[in-house]
Amino acid sequence: MRIGWIIAGLAALATPAMADAPQQRLTLERVFASPNLAGAAPRALKLSPNGKLLTSLRPRADDRDRYDLWATDTATGVARMLVDSTRFGGGALSEAEKMQRERQRIGGTRGIVAYDWAPDGKHLLVPVDGDIYLADLDGNVRRLTETPQGELDAAVSPRGGFVSFVRDQNLFAIDLATGKERQLTGDGGGTLSWGLAEFVAQEEMGRGKGAWWSPDDHSIAVARVDESGVAVITRAAIGADGTKIFNQRYPRAGAANAAIDLYVMRADGSGRVKVDLGANADIYLARVEWAPDGKTLYVQRESRDQKTLDLLRVDPATGASSVVFTERSPTWINLHDNFRALKDDSLLWSSERDGFSHLYRWRAGAWTQLTSGAWTVRDVVGVDEGRGFIFFTANRETPLDQGIYSVPLMGGPVTALAERGWWNGAVMNTGATRMVITRSNPVQPDQVYLADAGGNRLSWVEENRVAGAHPYAPFIAAHVAPVFGTLKAADGTLLHYKLLMPTLAKGQRAPVFIQVYGGPHAGRQVTDAWGGALQQYLVQSGWIIFSVDGRGTYDRGKAFEDPIHRAMGGVEVADQLAGVAWLKAQPFVDPKRIVVYGWSYGGYMTLKLLEAAPHVFAAGVAGAPVTRWELYDTHYTERYMGDPRTGAAAYTKADALTTAETITDPLLLVHGMADDNVVFDNSTALMAKLQGAAAPFEMMVYPGQTHRVAGPGISVHLWRTILDFLDRNTRVGG
């Protein structure tokens, strides 16, 4: 489920250096202008295999959405632009690449949006606007393709011998030694593709790949995707210059998925062998990984109801498979990327079998639990098999933070490697000897530093201190730090909230802007991290900003997440209303001027809240909402709601259309007219239901915009529309 416009709370405390800068008042135009007010923090951080170079994508000062490729020497700290994005590309993107970017959450970005290190550390693969380039470490760039069709999902083989990619739905490979291009499959086209991840794999499963090279460059495992059985939806991408009609294969809940097969073939496409994925074809290909020696292929096979996950061991020479072990859940299994096949034939794995996501090691049929407790392991960021350590992120101390930790491969104490009070992320080099840590907290936007394997800072990559010429320095004095606290749900469960307060006179009561997402697995609002400037603009306009993470959200264990099983729109709505009740009891809140805003699942929540609690909210803004879960995709919807063919009553109760005519409070509906995720049909269905009931509402649609409604001018227009609507219904100035 795409989170879309989720605006987390931003806060800062002024330092003397910050206070020296001339102070200005935030405007919507400046919030969305270049350079980015959060500073020049890079993204897509990666260490070279030997750890000597740190590469990243950095925005241009004059264009916050265009990125160049930079390299920093980890010994000297000297940074240089490696590839200037303005020298390459510029061609029109195919519709397939546009949609891929949307699913990768990089829609709207330009220039270099992704890259990969060649495993030999000598080159970097740089796709730009549908063509593929290979950059040397001295900055020289070699163009590998120049075709009108465009190439997708380029990848360098582990030993650096080949670059594979998909063109016209077939898999190709370039021999880098000779420059010769070879087509590995030939029957792709129409509803059949090779080497691409299907829609639900990209959007919901966290699998963006459809081809996997063996460690020795000898073979490649390739997904064959047949969408002929998937229903067609007619998506009208309505733009300012006209309308384009796309017949999109979209697997709606309860309907057929794409048929997925997996093959292994040699680097030249010969010797094709089909992998035995079992007798039941209605499954999900969740993950594919090679063992370090290239003699075994591991495949994660997920059942259609997502209650069973099998790890298969595959012989790549014959395609024969066997089950190594199976995970089961009475509700659903959360997929992860923490599987590692180790050199001693043991396996590293994440499981929620004890109620929380923790690390386990499997060896010859025996399990060793490596972490435990009422906290959640998130991502494995590195494994040092020589020294015997695993490095990972988790929320051991508090659900508000994300820390970095290590644990011995053989089991032992968990060691914290980063300061508390920060939201930390990390990447490591191949040998897990160096890590690059990105962190923020409510008083500091993203900082990036190089650390050793013990987490000790060696040097700053981007200190990003808000002082002097930092773009945020002129606005820092007016910042408001969020207050975090807890309140109780109806069953006594503690819920975490976040509150940002404007300056109020004694006895003054202020209106409240509730930012809600409320959906499972992603989109938490209450985290101890830096966000954007938009909420600070709202605070300066007189709004109290409030969010609460209710039951159903991820990272607090299955008992906290599972209550939404086959019951979406239930406990998560009740928990938001518990937050409203808490707000109304506060002496600084105007109980008649509480509004709710959300996007995607948050838009759905806005509708459900207005339906569940008439006259509680002064107004609601629903952006790109799901209104009927039968209109959303299989993997996401059935994970939580089951199959509508056997559980129609649960769907009827969960849908926002069922009682939409009961909405009597002011409603603003917003949607991008080219949305391929929460398709526009969701909003047209709601419009028809409200119009048929003579229920008034307001609407703003955005031609050409997808699920992410944003861009130069568009973001300002969107928020002016929202704030004008709220102003008319709450009489809030600003």
Side-chain angles (χ1 to χ4, degrees), residues 198-515:
E198 71 275 21
F199 175 87
V200 292
Q202 294 179 43
E203 180 61 40
E204 312 297 2
M205 296 166 60
R207 176 172 66 80
K209 297 173 61 176
W212 301 265
W213 282 99
S214 65
D216 58 4
D217 281 13
H218 177 268
S219 302
I220 186 169
V222 188
R224 180 184 185 271
V225 178
D226 182 357
E227 294 186 299
S228 59
V230 179
V232 175
I233 64 168
T234 301
R235 179 169 59 87
I238 303 172
D241 299 323
T243 300
K244 294 182 179 179
I245 303 298
F246 296 97
N247 291 320
Q248 179 181 345
R249 300 279 173 170
Y250 189 98
R252 286 177 168 164
N257 275 313
I260 310 296
D261 291 311
L262 184 66
Y263 288 81
V264 179
M265 61 188 73
R266 298 190 186 99
D268 62 2
S270 65
R272 187 182 301 176
V273 172
K274 186 177 181 180
V275 172
D276 180 7
L277 295 178
N280 182 4
D282 194 13
I283 52 94
Y284 294 106
L285 181 67
R287 299 288 188 270
V288 178
E289 301 283 346
W290 287 88
D293 61 7
K295 296 179 180 179
T296 302
L297 186 68
Y298 289 100
V299 175
Q300 293 181 40
R301 178 183 64 191
E302 185 181 40
S303 62
R304 173 71 183 255
D305 66 7
Q306 300 180 59
K307 296 181 179 182
T308 304
L309 181 66
D310 297 313
L311 180 69
L312 305 180
R313 179 188 286 113
V314 176
D315 180 350
T318 65
S321 67
S322 59
V323 176
V324 181
F325 56 76
T326 299
E327 288 279 355
R328 291 185 175 88
S329 170
T331 54
W332 70 84
I333 293 169
N334 289 308
L335 297 176
H336 60 80
D337 291 311
N338 294 338
F339 170 76
R340 300 288 191 280
L342 304 178
K343 294 176 182 178
D344 64 357
D345 293 329
S346 67
L347 305 174
L348 180 63
W349 184 253
S350 276
S351 174
E352 294 179 302
R353 62 187 61 182
D354 75 349
F356 292 86
S357 173
H358 282 296
L359 296 177
Y360 295 78
R361 191 179 184 187
W362 180 95
R363 187 170 189 174
W367 288 96
T368 301
Q369 185 167 359
L370 303 178
T371 63
S372 62
W375 50 278
T376 298
V377 169
R378 294 191 175 112
D379 298 303
V380 170
V381 297
V383 178
D384 183 342
E385 294 188 60
R387 293 173 54 241
F389 283 96
I390 306 164
F391 303 88
F392 61 94
T393 58
N395 62 353
R396 187 177 68 166
E397 277 70 35
T398 167
L400 304 183
D401 293 348
Q402 177 164 285
I404 304 170
Y405 305 87
S406 68
V407 67
L409 265 170
M410 301 303 293
V414 173
T415 302
L417 305 179
E419 294 179 57
R420 290 191 59 178
W422 296 81
W423 189 272
N424 294 275
V427 296
M428 300 190 79
N429 64 318
T430 304
T433 59
R434 291 284 186 272
M435 69 173 69
V436 177
I437 295 175
T438 300
R439 69 176 190 177
S440 73
N441 68 21
V443 301
Q444 173 60 53
D446 279 356
Q447 295 181 313
V448 182
Y449 64 90
L450 178 70
D452 61 20
N456 301 299
R457 186 168 68 240
L458 303 176
S459 62
W460 285 110
V461 175
E462 182 61 67
E463 188 175 7
N464 202 29
R465 186 165 171 263
V466 185
H470 192 284
Y472 215 77
F475 309 100
I476 198 69
H479 261 14
V480 174
V483 174
F484 296 98
T486 59
L487 55 90
K488 288 187 177 181
D491 68 346
T493 300
L494 282 181
L495 308 177
H496 291 269
Y497 71 78
K498 179 182 67 180
L499 182 76
L500 287 88
M501 288 284 297
T503 301
L504 300 177
K506 185 177 181 180
Q508 182 181 357
R509 291 177 178 262
V512 181
F513 183 102
I514 295 178
Q515 164 70 38

